[in-house]
Amino acid sequence: MAIRISLSWFVVLVFPVLLACASAARGPQVQTHKTYNVAIKGFKFVPDKLEVNAGDTITWKNEDIVPHIVTGDKLKSKSMDQGESWTYTAKRKGDFPYNCRFHPTMRGALIVH
Amino acid sequence: MLKTQQIALAAAMLLSVTGLGGRISFAADGPTDPQIVGIVLAADQIDIDYGKIALSKSKNKQVREFANRMVTDHSAVQENVIALADKLGVKAEDSPTSSSLKSGAADITQKLKELRGKEFDKFYIDNEVTYHKNVTDAVDAVLIPSAQNGELKAALQAAQPLFLKHLEHARSVQSGTGESMSH
């Protein structure tokens, strides 16, 4: 009888308290952000269209033998020689078309949700 | 069979890749690897030189950006071709094709030096369109099929998108000739 009472009290009172403490220890839920890669090769952005969430990080890497650059209204990289890269964290939602200003017919699009 | 195809392609190229941008003609048996290296280096250098003339003469923003890009990109190609040739132990050789490229370029260079203003811009861009069209055709139809060394063939295949992008870029500047070309 005594054991049953103790077990009931544990379930009703103690267990929820422990659960609450465990949740508090974990802290507020942290949203995880992803990282994406865009290769610049064969005079193309690969992939040429990329959809990400705000907070995600995108890295463009130039694999061609000539310099390339990422240029758009909101995207402005440095000039990248072969093997160099540029990383951008998407903060604002929207559609961001871009091209390589050096080779204007190279086009890509970043869509941030 | 392959040789026959190459001869046919070379014969076709002899007819098809002549024009304003510099004559590109090939011997019927196709170029050797050292000759291919010589042709690519000559073709690159010619376009670098055209670009430098344009940078010294043109005031048009689109033309200057294009010319600057030609100098930068073809210089990078030159460096890579020289490095690859060194690695492969291939020494660039002159050929009737590289000689004809150079003699054609001498005529174009003379004309570029004579022209001024909008006439210069138009001639330069028109020539760049034709030149890159001829080069891309030659790379596709003759140089890649003729290359014997696998790495040289792969390098030519990898460089082809560059020439095609330059051709697209030149055409886009060409289509803007007139209203949008301000001085």
Side-chain angles (χ1 to χ4, degrees):
Chain A
M1 182 65 180
I3 293 172
R4 271 189 202 151
I5 291 167
S6 298
L7 192 59
S8 300
W9 275 106
F10 179 81
V11 170
V12 172
L13 294 175
V14 180
F15 184 70
V17 171
L18 288 174
L19 201 63
C21 289
S23 295
R26 280 203 303 270
Q29 277 203 328
V30 177
Q31 188 181 354
T32 56
H33 297 302
K34 292 183 179 176
T35 58
Y36 295 88
N37 294 306
V38 177
I40 308 174
K41 58 181 180 182
F43 288 75
K44 289 179 182 169
F45 295 106
V46 184
D48 61 347
K49 181 180 174 183
L50 182 64
E51 296 194 34
V52 305
N53 290 315
D56 290 345
T57 297
I58 308 100
T59 297
W60 284 262
K61 184 174 182 183
N62 181 16
E63 298 177 17
D64 281 338
I65 60 172
V66 302
H68 288 300
I69 192 167
V70 174
T71 322
D73 285 345
K74 303 294 176 191
L75 302 169
K76 293 187 195 309
S77 79
K78 60 177 183 173
S79 174
M80 291 175 273
D81 286 335
Q82 186 176 33
E84 291 186 334
S85 60
W86 176 66
T87 298
Y88 172 79
T89 301
K91 291 175 183 166
R92 295 178 58 179
K93 294 180 180 179
D95 292 2
F96 303 100
Y98 63 89
N99 70 358
C100 168
R101 183 166 50 82
F102 299 156
H103 310 96
T105 57
M106 286 174 63
R107 294 190 181 91
L110 177 68
I111 294 134
V112 183
H113 297 293
Chain B
M1 180 61 185
L2 184 61
K3 198 73 175 172
T4 307
Q5 287 173 335
Q6 285 181 6
I7 292 168
L9 284 167
M13 290 304 298
L14 194 65
L15 297 174
S16 65
V17 293
T18 55
L20 176 68
R23 295 176 292 276
I24 306 180
S25 54
F26 295 92
D29 54 352
T32 64
D33 283 0
Q35 288 174 337
I36 289 172
V37 172
I39 291 164
V40 173
L41 290 177
D44 265 331
Q45 191 58 52
I46 287 166
D47 211 43
I48 291 168
D49 294 341
Y50 290 162
K52 286 180 177 173
I53 294 171
L55 286 171
S56 73
K57 295 189 74 168
S58 179
K59 292 183 173 60
N60 181 282
K61 185 170 178 277
Q62 285 181 295
V63 170
R64 291 184 62 81
E65 281 181 356
F66 178 83
N68 189 44
R69 191 49 36 200
M70 294 307 104
V71 173
T72 303
D73 285 359
H74 284 290
S75 296
V77 172
Q78 287 286 66
E79 284 178 22
N80 274 267
V81 171
I82 291 167
L84 178 62
D86 282 348
K87 179 187 164 193
L88 300 177
V90 175
K91 190 176 177 187
E93 279 181 13
D94 280 334
S95 62
T97 304
S98 60
S99 298
S100 70
L101 274 170
K102 288 172 188 172
S103 65
D107 297 340
I108 299 291
T109 300
Q110 182 61 36
K111 186 84 175 164
L112 286 169
K113 286 180 176 173
E114 289 168 8
L115 295 172
R116 295 279 181 278
K118 286 184 179 180
E119 282 185 343
F120 173 88
D121 292 339
K122 184 174 184 337
F123 184 83
Y124 171 68
I125 288 299
D126 287 349
N127 180 61
E128 286 297 296
V129 169
T130 308
Y131 189 71
H132 280 89
K133 177 75 170 68
N134 290 348
V135 168
T136 54
D137 286 348
V139 170
D140 256 347
V142 180
L143 300 188
I144 291 173
S146 299
Q148 297 299 304
N149 181 281
E151 281 192 69
L152 179 60
K153 192 186 284 282
L156 289 167
Q157 287 166 334
Q160 186 67 320
L162 167 77
F163 303 133
L164 288 168
K165 280 294 165 191
H166 285 178
L167 176 59
E168 286 177 16
H169 191 173
R171 281 178 171 154
S172 74
V173 178
Q174 186 184 45
S175 68
T177 304
E179 298 108 51
S180 63
M181 276 198 173
S182 56
H183 289 274

